[in-house]
Amino acid sequence: MSDLRKVKVNGREIEAPANLTLLQACELAGEEIPRFCYHERLSVAGNCRMCLIEVKGGPPKPVASCAQNVRDLRPGPNGEPPELFTNTPMVKKAREGVMEFLLINHPLDCPICDQGGECDLQDQALAYGRDGSRYEENKRSVEEKHMGPLIKTFMTRCIQCTRCVRFATEIAGVDDLGLVNRGENAEITTYLQKAIESELTGNLIDVCPVGALTSKPYAYNARPWELTKTETIDVMDAVGSNIRVDSRGREVLRILPRVNEAVNEEWIADKSRFVWDGLKRQRLDKPYIRENGRLRAATWDEALALVARKIEALPVKRIGAIAGDLVPAEAVKALKDLMAAIGSPHTDCRQDGARLGGGPREAYLFNSGIAGIERADRILLVGTNPRTEAPLVNARIRKTWLANQNARIAVIGERSPLAYNYEHLGAGPDALGAGGDFLIGADRPMIIIGMGAIARPDGAAILAEIAAVAASAGVVREGWNGFNVLHDSAARVAALDLKFLPRAGGLDFAGILESAAADDIRLVYNLGCDEFDTSKLKSAFVVYQGSHGDAGAAAADVIFPGAAYVEQSGVYANTEGRAQIAQRATFPPGEAREDWAIIRALSGRLGMALPYDDLFSLRQAMINDAPVLGRINQGPSGAAPLDLAKLGVKGEVRSAPFRSPIRDYYRTNPIARASKTMAECSAHVSRASRLAAE
């Protein structure tokens, strides 16, 4: 804890930690300090000079408050607290002068600039600038830069605050941006006209205080005051990033991050930010029935009646249900209850075959919490590439690596650029022993296990070996639980919490597929599963419920059009087990309905009406089934007891190397595959990789 110093700000005495900047001390006293280059999560540059204040007893000129700390202040001649002033004539004149210089070359683009209404320069020019201009010279012009398919540049508007350079270098871990030349010729540019290769590129738009870097897909679509803003949760990965969905009418026009220090801080990944155009492409907006090999549009009555007849005509042992990666917990609960009412034990949510569930909750959670990564001093990554599976987890690891000089990171799995230095111990299970040696002696050792290690036939045996390594290294101890499973599916943890797993005598996901191929399972209810070999279901009658016409819909005999994640309210539990509520931002298209409501309607047709008629009642039943889903925004304790000896199943382990399940970051689910923007990003990365190989 930093020592406290007494400081006077505009005559008001406060106590401020000595390591605070003067800017932070003034804000602690309730004063507003304008700034452009300063950002709380980036290093101090001190090059915009907008945050000037006056220090009594200091130099006879304004001081850049972002670049001086409280500990640097000198007390008065009799020991009086140092005094800071933010509203004196000297400060006012200095800020007006800085603003005047910033506007010398800034174009008058406000009427057509996408930043209009959300522009720091616009707001601060009004609050702190002069009411006129003395400059009549021609303004300078700068060539636009190529930054890839996501960032639209207007570099003539750039004020050289270098926020983008510092974000790319410090947070994203790529050195593709820099400031070149000096004086009037200074400009931000990419090296060799190379696009920025990072999964966090879109955050450059947020950190830019002017309209120099804007969203290319969103360009000229809307003004901020036209948009309805809805706070909700992202489902593109299992991090559970807090987002804000901006919509106009029934159309989503952009997605922005919200601050949650425990999860995503104030960043989001590119797929989360730019996937919104996939919400209006390849949508399922009405029920369909397959007749003579072709799908035809049908009414809800027809579709529900047909599925009810098929279910009633089959023995319960010949009916199975599978749940996908994007569905809310309420839909999983409803489908579980429906299958229990029918009497079928064949249910599973693990379409990747991960050997998880059935044991204690801590066995499949990111127990330290995402923020807990910053406390670790040694991190072992097993069968995961967090840069593509969870970019914000990767950013936390990089943050830890930068902040803690003693932090060490090792990888067992594929070699890949992760934005930080690491020791590569091996490619497969044979290296687990070396991983244990790496962790021994650490104060806070951490293992992060990816689906690349446990979503394979010998996954349960591998999990047992990893648990043995963790036990020998003291990964779980008093006050610290560093045993972490990194999921890549937003719906998985909640489905495991609800025990949407095979019941006594039931088949798992692979078993349902094999039995369907062998004509033993005759009907499969597919709730949003698209990431598996659907050809194995060709002998069965398949009911697909989802939002997009993807692989699952192509293999279906009946299609129930469901709502996407921004079109229904639902609970999601992220990889650390934190339950969060996603709010509805828009309504689903056409005749599509919320997922839980479709299942409830089908239960009524079967004469087995589920005991809830509204979302509130369903949530009460869900929380009774899994109380953890009612503890909204409550992260893991990090110290829960976990018996590592009981994890996994001892057995034969194959020597095959671990392989990350994500081969193309931009096309991992039906919404992303429907997105034109994600397709452009995928093509761009493929082209860049091909050129690099040549």
Side-chain angles (χ1 to χ4, degrees):
M1 185 71 181
S2 301
D3 59 319
L4 297 175
R5 305 284 178 87
K6 289 186 177 180
V7 181
K8 277 189 174 182
V9 180
N10 293 339
R12 178 189 173 193
E13 187 173 301
I14 63 166
E15 285 190 336
N19 63 342
L20 288 191
T21 63
L22 302 189
L23 185 151
Q24 292 171 312
C26 290
E27 291 192 331
L28 194 62
E31 299 295 336
E32 181 183 278
I33 305 293
R35 84 292 297 269
F36 292 114
C37 70
Y38 177 79
H39 192 283
E40 289 80 358
R41 301 186 197 276
L42 304 176
S43 61
V44 173
N47 55 6
C48 79
R49 319 310 284 183
M50 194 64 203
C51 64
L52 296 172
I53 64 171
E54 183 179 346
V55 179
K56 184 177 181 180
K61 60 180 182 179
V63 172
S65 60
C66 71
Q68 186 171 342
N69 288 354
V70 170
R71 67 164 60 91
D72 301 324
L73 296 174
R74 296 179 299 174
N78 299 314
E80 302 95 332
E83 292 194 57
L84 310 178
F85 298 96
T86 67
N87 53 12
T88 62
M90 177 201 287
V91 173
K92 184 175 185 297
K93 183 178 180 182
R95 289 176 179 170
E96 287 179 352
V98 169
M99 180 60 69
E100 197 169 11
F101 275 111
L102 285 175
L103 295 177
I104 290 174
N105 285 310
H106 198 81
L108 190 59
D109 282 351
C110 301
I112 56 101
C113 177
D114 272 333
Q115 201 80 358
E118 299 173 320
C119 176
D120 291 351
L121 183 64
Q122 201 176 55
D123 295 342
Q124 292 181 37
L126 175 65
Y128 302 102
R130 291 164 48 88
D131 59 358
S133 173
R134 294 177 290 176
Y135 292 90
E136 297 178 356
E137 291 84 358
N138 291 330
K139 296 177 182 288
R140 76 168 189 162
S141 181
V142 182
E143 288 186 0
E144 309 307 348
K145 305 296 183 291
H146 171 63
M147 292 192 183
L150 302 177
I151 305 294
K152 188 177 182 66
T153 66
F154 295 89
M155 301 312 292
T156 301
R157 302 173 187 165
C158 179
I159 60 172
Q160 286 91 44
C161 71
T162 70
R163 276 190 185 182
C164 56
V165 177
R166 285 174 284 144
F167 174 85
T169 305
E170 297 166 15
I171 308 295
V174 295
D175 52 5
D176 296 335
L177 275 178
L179 178 70
V180 298
N181 304 325
R182 300 179 65 185
E184 190 179 6
N185 295 321
E187 57 179 298
I188 303 289
T189 184
T190 55
Y191 298 124
L192 303 175
Q193 290 295 299
K194 174 177 170 286
I196 301 170
E197 295 181 0
S198 170
E199 294 75 27
L200 301 173
T201 308
N203 296 291
L204 295 173
I205 300 166
D206 294 337
V207 299
C208 182
V210 294
L213 305 179
T214 60
S215 170
K216 189 175 284 187
Y218 174 70
Y220 307 126
N221 270 355
R223 287 297 199 181
W225 53 85
E226 299 178 80
L227 304 175
T228 300
K229 302 167 178 63
T230 306
E231 296 184 349
T232 185
I233 304 300
D234 171 60
V235 300
M236 292 297 112
D237 55 31
V239 172
S241 298
N242 287 216
I243 59 173
R244 192 187 85 195
V245 174
D246 289 358
S247 58
R248 183 174 58 191
R250 299 177 72 111
E251 186 178 10
V252 173
L253 292 180
R254 68 174 178 179
I255 296 174
L256 300 175
R258 289 189 293 128
V259 177
N260 187 323
E261 298 292 348
V263 182
N264 58 302
E265 298 182 289
E266 63 181 77
W267 319 119
I268 54 171
D270 287 347
K271 186 165 52 177
S272 305
R273 183 187 296 266
F274 294 107
V275 78
W276 51 266
D277 67 319
L279 291 167
K280 56 187 176 183
R281 295 165 58 87
Q282 298 183 3
R283 289 303 304 268
L284 300 173
D285 60 354
K286 61 184 68 174
Y288 287 88
I289 293 175
R290 190 176 297 278
E291 290 182 351
N292 302 319
R294 297 174 67 89
L295 288 169
R296 69 163 178 87
T299 65
W300 274 108
D301 279 343
E302 282 183 284
L304 289 169
L306 175 59
V307 174
R309 288 198 303 272
K310 290 286 185 182
I311 291 175
E312 290 168 344
L314 287 172
V316 294
K317 295 283 183 150
R318 294 204 163 198
I319 300 171
I322 52 181
D325 295 345
L326 305 181
V327 294
E330 292 87 346
V332 175
K333 165 64 176 170
L335 184 56
K336 176 191 173 185
D337 288 352
L338 176 61
M339 296 305 291
I342 292 171
S344 170
H346 310 307
T347 57
D348 202 354
C349 62
R350 303 165 296 185
Q351 65 173 320
D352 57 2
R355 299 302 195 263
L356 293 170
R361 190 173 192 244
E362 290 73 28
Y364 55 82
L365 293 186
F366 203 97
N367 290 293
S368 68
I370 294 171
I373 292 172
E374 298 180 32
R375 301 173 60 204
D377 56 350
R378 288 192 198 173
I379 302 173
L380 176 63
L381 305 176
V382 182
T384 180
N385 179 350
R387 181 166 175 177
T388 56
E389 295 169 32
L392 294 171
V393 168
N394 199 59
R396 287 274 191 174
I397 298 174
R398 174 175 170 80
K399 183 178 179 182
T400 303
W401 175 71
L402 286 174
N404 184 355
Q405 294 182 341
N406 297 320
R408 293 171 56 197
I409 303 162
V411 170
I412 299 177
E414 296 176 291
R415 287 184 183 269
S416 56
L418 295 178
Y420 41 81
N421 296 334
Y422 62 84
E423 303 169 38
H424 188 254
L425 303 181
D430 298 340
L432 288 174
D437 296 338
F438 169 79
L439 292 172
I440 288 175
D443 292 331
R444 289 193 178 90
M446 176 180 290
I447 291 182
I448 299 178
I449 307 163
M451 295 301 107
I454 51 181
R456 43 190 262 174
D458 59 348
I462 289 174
L463 184 61
E465 289 211 2
I466 296 173
V469 168
S472 65
V475 168
V476 178
R477 58 182 71 168
E478 184 68 29
W480 174 253
N481 189 339
F483 186 85
N484 296 318
V485 176
L486 180 60
H487 292 273
D488 51 31
S489 160
R492 182 68 51 80
V493 171
L496 293 175
D497 287 340
L498 287 165
K499 299 291 187 287
F500 194 82
L501 299 167
R503 293 189 291 128
L507 299 171
D508 64 6
F509 199 97
I512 291 172
L513 297 187
E514 291 167 7
S515 294
D519 208 25
D520 291 331
I521 294 288
R522 303 297 300 275
L523 186 146
V524 176
Y525 198 108
N526 180 354
L527 178 60
C529 292
D530 295 274
E531 319 304 324
F532 69 99
D533 183 5
T534 57
S535 65
K536 293 186 176 181
L537 297 179
K538 61 184 179 182
S539 299
F541 184 87
V542 179
V543 181
Y544 177 77
Q545 179 177 325
S547 60
H548 283 70
D550 204 78
D557 295 288
V558 173
I559 295 174
F560 291 154
Y565 70 106
V566 297
E567 297 162 357
Q568 59 184 327
S569 179
V571 172
Y572 291 88
N574 72 350
T575 190
E576 57 183 1
R578 182 187 303 271
Q580 302 181 102
I581 298 180
Q583 301 290 357
R584 181 176 63 194
T586 61
F587 289 92
E591 299 176 39
R593 296 292 181 266
E594 295 182 10
D595 285 328
W596 75 269
I598 296 171
I599 299 168
R600 172 63 179 80
L602 178 59
S603 72
R605 287 299 182 107
L606 289 166
M608 306 171 180
L610 298 176
Y612 29 78
D613 295 324
D614 54 43
L615 190 59
F616 178 80
S617 301
L618 170 55
R619 280 190 178 150
Q620 292 300 309
M622 179 184 74
I623 293 169
N624 289 337
D625 204 358
V628 290
L629 296 180
R631 300 169 192 154
I632 300 303
N633 204 32
Q634 181 176 314
S637 66
L642 176 61
D643 187 353
L644 293 171
K646 294 183 179 179
L647 298 191
V649 178
K650 293 191 180 299
E652 184 180 352
V653 173
R654 297 186 301 147
S655 60
F658 298 137
R659 192 169 183 264
S660 172
I662 295 181
R663 314 314 298 176
D664 185 347
Y665 165 73
Y666 297 101
R667 297 169 66 79
T668 57
N669 60 62
I671 303 175
R673 286 190 287 271
S675 166
K676 183 179 178 182
T677 303
M678 294 297 99
E680 290 174 358
C681 291
S682 177
H684 178 85
V685 170
S686 298
R687 187 165 54 250
S689 299
R690 189 169 58 250
L691 291 174
E694 293 174 356

